[in-house]
Amino acid sequence: MLKILGRNNSVNVMKVTWVAEEMGVPFERVDIGGAFGGNDQPEYLAMNPNGKVPTVIDGDLVLWESHAIVRYLAAKHDFGGIYPEDLKARANLDRWMDWTHTELSTPMRDVFWGLVRTPPEKRNLDQIRAGVEGAAAAFRKLDAQLEGKAYIGGDRLSMAEFPLGGFVHRWFGVAIENRPDDMPNLRAWYDRLCARPAYRKHIADIPIT
Ligand SMILES: N[C@@H](CCC(=O)N[C@@H](CS)C(=O)NCC(=O)O)C(=O)O
């Protein structure tokens, strides 16, 4: 059975548990990282030299990097569906996956760590404000992409949704003062994700900690 190593409140682990659940792939998840530790141990570092989560074990394959894992599982279990066969459709989704890492994750990290994992007296308010502005600027681009579409690639859930699911939940779920509210397509897409049982189980119903 597929084994997923990583704590369930990690935005990077959520990408993997959600895609596996969505495709009906049975898996066992092991708490590693954060308060659970274990990711600095030699046996873990032998599998993942970065000491980060997630890592997955699928038979004789050991794989790290959440987006590589999402692509691998989607191609293995839903080729032609969540993982499109058409090269151009796939390239479109690939760019939104890469964009999540390059454009969105840094401002969202500043928002999330600042407001959720830092006590009020220690918060860097300028950094949090800049994070909110940066995340809003990025999310406006996603909002534009979603115009007239149910999902990022069109009318069906795709591999590009999985990296973004945890971030959009934090965007709407963290108490952000004056959160910009000018992205109706983003909100509708988030509500659509929340209607999916697999998304609720692995993202929306997990406390933001
Ligand atoms: N680029 C990596 C980043 C992985 C990453 O930064 N994971 C964080 C959790 S979200 C981590 O392992 N932090 C240390 C810990 O949990 O102890 C990926 O996408 O898999």
Side-chain angles (χ1 to χ4, degrees):
M1 189 192 295
L2 176 69
K3 204 165 179 176
I4 301 175
L5 308 180
R7 56 191 167 85
N8 70 353
N9 64 344
S10 149
V11 76
N12 289 305
V13 174
M14 289 171 182
K15 301 168 184 177
V16 177
T17 49
W18 178 29
V19 74
E21 184 84 27
E22 196 71 58
M23 296 186 301
V25 178
F27 65 87
E28 177 200 350
R29 189 185 58 74
V30 182
D31 277 325
I32 288 185
F36 298 96
N39 45 329
D40 57 352
Q41 295 303 301
E43 57 272 28
Y44 189 84
L45 292 170
M47 293 186 286
N48 182 341
N50 307 299
K52 299 274 174 66
V53 293
T55 300
V56 301
I57 305 171
D58 189 28
D60 61 0
L61 176 73
V62 177
L63 192 61
W64 43 263
E65 273 302 324
S66 56
H67 295 187
I69 297 168
V70 168
R71 288 185 177 101
Y72 165 74
L73 291 175
K76 179 174 175 182
H77 298 284
D78 197 11
F79 192 85
I82 280 175
Y83 188 93
E85 205 170 341
D86 179 77
L87 199 54
K88 290 178 188 168
R90 200 191 313 158
N92 176 44
L93 303 177
D94 270 332
R95 80 171 152 188
W96 284 104
M97 294 176 79
D98 289 357
W99 174 90
T100 306
H101 265 332
T102 57
E103 299 292 324
L104 184 68
S105 69
T106 301
M108 277 307 294
R109 182 199 58 204
D110 291 344
V111 173
F112 173 71
W113 274 85
L115 291 173
V116 177
R117 293 199 180 150
T118 308
E121 67 281 6
K122 291 195 175 152
R123 285 178 188 162
N124 179 337
L125 297 182
D126 287 340
Q127 190 181 31
I128 294 170
R129 217 170 286 124
V132 171
E133 278 172 23
F139 274 131
R140 281 191 193 99
K141 291 167 194 155
L142 182 58
D143 183 74
Q145 169 69 16
L146 287 164
E147 179 69 37
K149 296 186 197 72
Y151 294 101
I152 293 168
D155 59 5
R156 59 157 303 160
L157 187 79
S158 73
M159 65 178 180
E161 257 80 28
F162 299 97
L164 281 157
F167 289 117
V168 72
H169 178 58
R170 288 177 176 180
W171 177 249
F172 287 114
V174 171
I176 298 171
E177 214 178 303
N178 301 322
R179 178 182 42 241
D181 196 19
D182 56 347
M183 297 168 240
N185 302 318
L186 186 78
R187 179 74 222 195
W189 172 71
Y190 172 60
D191 290 343
R192 214 167 282 127
L193 298 186
C194 285
R196 304 186 75 93
Y199 182 79
R200 282 206 304 281
K201 181 171 176 187
H202 292 287
I203 297 187
D205 289 349
I206 293 186
I208 299 177
T209 57

